[in-house]
Amino acid sequence: MQENRVSRWYFGGVSSSAAACVTHPLDLIKVHLQTQQEVRMRMIGMTLNVVRREGFLALYSGLTASLCRQMTYSLSRFAIYETVRDKMKRKNKGPMPFHQKVLLGAFGGFTGGFIGTPTDLVNVRMQNDVKMAAEFRRNYAHVFDGLLRVCKEEGLRKLFSGASMASSRGALVSVGQLACYDQSKELVLATGYLTDNIFTHFLASVFAGGSATILCQPLDVVKTRLMNSEVQYGSVSHCLTETAKLGPNAFYKGLVPAAIRLIPHTVLTFIFLEQLKQHFGEMVIT
């Protein structure tokens, strides 16, 4: 009989929110780059332009929506994945096969992506407000103001604009992050050279973040365009068609800032998660 600590269902949301506080400016710049109709600015130029026009704090526009998104989207997918994984691990007295982790991660991510769509929409709009002319800004005071105004001005259905893309992206991100993190961590530990420590968590999460970035970038671009538009795109297929007209590279617009944002976010999320589990996790006997 051995005592082990396992993650509590809400640890994923808490750790993702903590990571978002650090990486939010990178997420904002990524949204700005993805919503350009033509490539006019690169990452550094866009960052300097935002700071020059609006000040340093403008890099944190939409932070309340970002945190609310993490506490809906990330909390849901982590809760589903880790709860089922831990139960299966205890039942089978060993780790799940990789294909099962992929399926479970995809299901958790798809569900979390749908649940988090309204806050994700407000998050994208609040971030994009910074680069718009004053007369065209939506000027949401905070995430709840944004949610209420979208309902009132555009209807309840608009809150779920881009839900299919957000859910599909959530599935791919979760496969890259959750399934690949678990598998790479197991492979690293199986070598016998490293123990279950923060360096192992760092290596596994870097690989997971890179995998997630490559998998989800095309859907992320389409999702961002759908959420930021009011009447520009009639459907997902219309958005895909219009984006494709800009060339194949349009689907990977903002890849570098996406990687610079998602990989550190993944690393911080899993390091925070492992520390929460180690110090405050639920004790189980295996």
Side-chain angles (χ1 to χ4, degrees):
M1 304 292 281
Q2 185 179 357
E3 289 187 343
N4 288 312
R5 287 190 181 272
V6 297
S7 181
R8 298 181 188 273
W9 65 271
Y10 54 87
F11 279 1
V14 173
S15 56
S16 295
S17 296
C21 289
V22 179
T23 61
H24 185 77
L26 295 170
D27 194 32
L28 180 138
I29 297 302
K30 179 203 71 173
V31 168
H32 284 202
L33 290 171
Q34 289 176 346
T35 52
Q36 291 183 110
Q37 287 302 314
E38 298 175 3
V39 179
R40 294 188 298 271
M41 289 189 185
R42 300 293 181 183
M43 182 180 177
I44 295 175
M46 183 68 79
T47 305
L48 292 174
N49 183 55
V50 170
V51 173
R52 193 182 304 117
R53 287 175 53 200
E54 304 291 334
F56 179 77
L57 290 179
L59 293 174
Y60 281 89
S61 296
L63 180 61
T64 58
S66 181
L67 293 176
C68 196
R69 175 177 178 261
Q70 296 301 334
M71 291 304 291
T72 50
Y73 159 66
S74 286
L75 187 145
S76 302
R77 66 193 181 105
F78 271 93
I80 292 169
Y81 180 86
E82 299 217 313
T83 301
V84 175
R85 180 204 61 191
D86 291 340
K87 285 185 177 179
M88 293 290 289
K89 190 174 181 180
R90 289 196 294 272
K91 180 181 177 181
N92 300 330
K93 300 192 183 304
M96 292 170 62
F98 182 59
H99 71 276
Q100 290 183 3
K101 293 174 187 169
V102 169
L103 292 173
L104 180 57
F107 175 74
F110 190 89
T111 305
F114 182 80
I115 293 170
T117 298
T119 52
D120 198 7
L121 180 139
V122 175
N123 181 36
V124 167
R125 289 185 171 192
M126 289 179 76
Q127 290 176 345
N128 203 53
D129 247 13
V130 178
K131 75 173 187 181
M132 297 176 74
E135 61 271 22
F136 296 112
R137 292 182 182 179
R138 298 179 177 95
N139 292 319
Y140 299 148
H142 45 72
V143 61
F144 300 110
D145 177 51
L147 291 169
L148 289 171
R149 281 183 53 191
V150 172
C151 278
K152 189 184 298 182
E153 296 167 11
E154 301 173 58
L156 184 63
R157 286 187 62 184
K158 187 61 182 181
L159 280 176
F160 288 91
S161 173
S164 58
M165 283 293 107
S167 299
S168 301
R169 177 190 177 276
L172 291 175
V173 169
S174 296
V175 168
Q177 284 186 331
L178 306 181
C180 289
Y181 175 80
D182 270 356
Q183 193 67 20
S184 56
K185 180 182 170 184
E186 286 172 14
L187 292 172
V188 169
L189 292 174
T191 64
Y193 293 113
L194 294 172
T195 58
D196 191 1
N197 56 28
I198 199 165
F199 184 64
T200 299
H201 305 156
F202 173 79
L203 288 178
S205 57
V206 167
F207 177 75
S211 301
T213 304
I214 293 169
L215 282 171
C216 75
Q217 185 62 13
L219 287 179
D220 196 26
V221 170
V222 175
K223 180 202 69 136
T224 299
R225 286 175 171 269
L226 278 171
M227 289 182 169
N228 192 55
S229 71
E230 290 186 0
V231 292
Q232 187 176 353
Y233 303 115
S235 63
V236 173
S237 58
H238 182 210
C239 184
L240 281 166
T241 305
E242 291 300 312
T243 306
K245 288 178 182 177
L246 302 175
N249 290 340
F251 288 103
Y252 280 91
K253 187 181 288 185
L255 178 64
V256 173
I260 291 173
R261 177 258 170 188
L262 189 55
I263 292 174
H265 185 271
T266 304
V267 170
L268 290 171
T269 295
F270 281 109
I271 287 177
F272 290 151
L273 181 64
E274 294 283 3
Q275 292 303 306
L276 283 171
K277 183 167 67 175
Q278 181 181 331
H279 295 287
F280 306 105
E282 182 182 354
M283 191 71 75
V284 295
I285 298 174
T286 56

